[in-house]
Amino acid sequence: MKILGKYPAVRLRRNRKYNWSRRLVAENNLTVNDLILPIFVVEGKNKIEPIKSMPGAYRYSIDKINNVTNKVNKLGIPLVAIFPHTPHKKKNSLGTEALNEDNLVCKAIRRIKRNNPDIGVMADVALDPYTIHGHDGILKKKEILNDETVEILSKQAVLQAEMGCDVIAPSDMMDGRVGVIRKALDKNNFKNVQILSYAAKYASNFYGPFRNAIGSRQRSKINKKSYQMDYKNSSEALREVALDIKEGADFVMIKPGLPYLDVIKSVKENFKIPVFVYQVSGEYSMITNAIKKGIVDSEAVIESLMSFKRSGASAIVTYFALDIAKKISN
Ligand code: PBG
């Protein structure tokens, strides 16, 4: 007879023993419906340019955009986000190229909606791809002007909606912009165009590779701390989210991802709105480089995405979207 009481009656390892039982008790799952793919676009023809700062990511000229959106369509990724690499000569201090109906983003929206009408298209509202200083708003005497910027952003939003954009995503962190954009969209009969507000966007050190990708990186580091959030804070993120919901946001974004899992979780617990997360370029490049060097296994990508699901995210903007969609649909 065995001695009773030596071991605990509850053994959590029992459920982990087999693959089938691990699958039965899985609390979270990642599907293709959780993914949003950013697409970088560039001027010119016949271009699929590798981005040095982001190994495995590319910039597409408009005529080549099919190449990626057909894959998105086939894999069933619901939404793509367009980011333009604006040539330097089209930038100025006010970012007026943002309002040009033939700018790269507008062309990309039209092209995707024509070729793959079933894919949702999202575009950022912010001036950083178009300003020479790389800031998201108008710079005057070292200050980013709030209300003047919001006025331009609401025009940018309406223009993008006119092009067929489904989801308008203000990523500028100006105060009051969601309300003004909502009003402008409604006034122009775009009642059904959704707003994904980057509600809690932190002044982060993880955006570097993206700034290279869109050509907004400056010789000296750009400091966006007067409008993007301080990484010391989390209650403030709840205030940002509360305001954006009141102003009419349909979903809210937390950005970056991995260093802000606590914020995703508390936003989800406090508001019953869909929460999206942006796994940003620095996270992407760090993980990609670590996999390349054999420091971590490639499954680390899924592990990182699953952490967002655990925290309560409904969807994830990630440069891994194509790869992962392929992997999980097999
Ligand atoms: C700016 C913007 C940024 C990103 C998307 N839109 C960064 C910034 O504030 O400079 C970063 C995305 C990434 O790093 O992947 N409106």
Side-chain angles (χ1 to χ4, degrees), residues 40 54 83 124-129 134 136 171-172 198 201-202 206-211 214 216 222 224 227-228 255 278-282 319:
F40 294 105
M54 301 177 66
F83 294 102
D124 266 31
V125 163
L127 299 182
D128 58 300
D136 294 23
S171 68
D172 55 290
Y198 288 78
K201 176 170 178 182
Y202 285 85
F206 291 93
Y207 301 147
F210 173 93
R211 290 180 188 165
I214 69 159
S216 71
I222 344 183
K224 299 192 176 182
Y227 46 108
Q228 298 179 346
K255 178 179 175 185
Y278 200 135
Q279 182 177 53
V280 300
S281 58
Y319 304 99

Side-chain angles (χ1 to χ4, degrees), residues 251-267:
F251 347 73
V252 293
M253 181 100 85
I254 311 300
K255 178 179 175 185
L258 280 185
Y260 298 91
L261 294 177
D262 58 319
V263 178
I264 301 171
K265 184 156 192 178
S266 71
V267 168

